[in-house]
Structures are given as structure tokens and as C-alpha cells.
Amino acid sequence: MTEQQRLEQWVRRLGWALGSLPVRERDDILRETRSHIDDRVAEGVALETVLQGFGPAERYARQFIDEIEAYEALGSQRAADLALFVANRAHRSGVAAFTLLLLLLLGVLAAITVLMVGLKIYDPVHTGLWVGQGGGFVGIIDDAAAGRELMGPWLFPISALLLTLVAVCGRLLLSFVVPLLKPRPDRPVKEPT
């Protein structure tokens, strides 16, 4: 394989790896990368050395894709976009995996809260935070006389407050973590396994 064929093959693989990007962005990256390679070769550096410096085309492309996805998620500031960005990196980052776990726990807490509000509306006499001889629990009790309900009508404002806290905590967590996961030039990119 000639050097020109080797270069064309590497650039073609880069183009394939950038396939998820819009055509204009992909073409800009390919043009800039090709220009950098040509400049280095014109300076007398061997093509193989230049390509080794870039690394595998797929890994080099991953840097651009990650950076674009991070800026899009941060730019939109939608919780769903930020959470999707974190979820897509959970398999390569412990921080992302831990954040995803915390988000799932917050989601479960929110779902339980909404369920309790719905049950309280449906059956206000038997639903609530109960304390009895066997201890306490949140849920439905068969015999309302067997325990004492602690929240009563306060379940609704407490639930609203809890749901607000869940939303704020989730948003703050995402706003803190997404910039940490954004690729930086001073941090090497790990090869996907």
C-alpha cells in the first residue's frame, strides 16, 4: 500500500467514524485534518509518524463527536439532553456511571412521591405516613385505626416540595457533571474497549 493509499484509507475511516455528524461539520473536520496531515508531511515528517500522532481514526473522531455532543447538551440546557449525554458515557466513565445511578435514584424517589399523591387522592383514609406498633411506613394501611397517620393533608405540599428538590438536585448534578465529562485538549482520550 502506498503512502497516498494509506492516507486515503485513514481519512476515509475518519469520515465513516464521523458519520453521525452533520455533513458540513464532518467535511470541515476532514478538510482541517487533511490540511494538518499535509502540513506535517510537507515539513518532512513521515506520514506513518503523523498518522500515529493522530491515533486511530475512530478515536480521533470520538473526540470531535464527544465535544459536539457536550456543547449541544450544555447549549440546550434541557435536562433530557444533559441526562442523555451522561447516559451515553456511563460505559466509559465512572463519574458518568455514578451520576446516572444518582439520577435513577432521584427518578425512583419522584415516581414513589407521585404514586403516593395519586393514592392519597384515590384513598385518603388509608394512604399516608403511618406509625403503629410494628413501626412506621409510607403507603396504604388496611386498618386505619391500627396506626396513626403523621402527614395527613400535609402530604401534598411535602410532596410538591420533595418533587421540586428532586428536580433541582437532578439539574444541579447534571450541570456540574456534564462539563466534567466534556473532552478537554489536556486530557487524553481513552481507547474504547
Side-chain angles (χ1 to χ4, degrees), residues 3 7 36-48 50:
E3 279 195 353
L7 174 60
H36 287 302
I37 292 171
D38 290 343
D39 290 347
R40 297 283 296 163
V41 170
E43 293 170 359
V45 180
L47 176 64
E48 195 60 38
V50 173

Side-chain angles (χ1 to χ4, degrees), residues 106-124:
L106 287 172
V108 167
L109 179 60
I112 290 171
T113 302
V114 169
L115 177 66
M116 286 303 301
V117 167
L119 289 172
K120 186 71 170 178
I121 291 170
Y122 177 73
D123 188 4

Side-chain angles (χ1 to χ4, degrees), residues 35-181:
S35 174
H36 287 302
I37 292 171
D38 290 343
D39 290 347
R40 297 283 296 163
V41 170
E43 293 170 359
V45 180
L47 176 64
E48 195 60 38
T49 304
V50 173
L51 293 180
Q52 284 177 354
F54 279 97
E58 295 77 10
R59 184 180 66 187
Y60 187 68
R62 180 87 262 161
Q63 295 173 359
F64 291 104
I65 293 169
D66 285 351
E67 184 175 2
I68 289 169
E69 288 176 353
Y71 283 114
E72 286 175 352
L74 288 168
S76 78
Q77 282 299 310
R78 290 183 43 225
D81 291 341
L82 295 169
L84 184 61
F85 178 81
V86 170
N88 286 338
R89 278 133 192 89
H91 70 286
R92 330 181 236 163
S93 165
V95 172
F98 185 69
T99 301
L100 187 59
L101 177 65
L102 289 176
L103 290 173
L104 289 172
L105 291 174
L106 287 172
V108 167
L109 179 60
I112 290 171
T113 302
V114 169
L115 177 66
M116 286 303 301
V117 167
L119 289 172
K120 186 71 170 178
I121 291 170
Y122 177 73
D123 188 4
V125 174
H126 296 103
T127 304
L129 173 62
W130 296 95
V131 175
Q133 292 176 345
F137 69 95
V138 175
I140 299 174
I141 193 167
D142 291 332
D143 182 13
R148 187 171 63 113
E149 212 274 301
L150 298 178
M151 287 204 267
W154 285 97
L155 179 78
F156 298 109
I158 290 171
S159 295
L161 178 65
L162 185 59
L163 288 172
T164 302
L165 285 173
V166 164
V168 168
C169 288
R171 170 63 69 150
L172 288 174
L173 181 64
L174 287 168
S175 296
F176 176 74
V177 170
V178 169
L180 292 176
L181 297 175

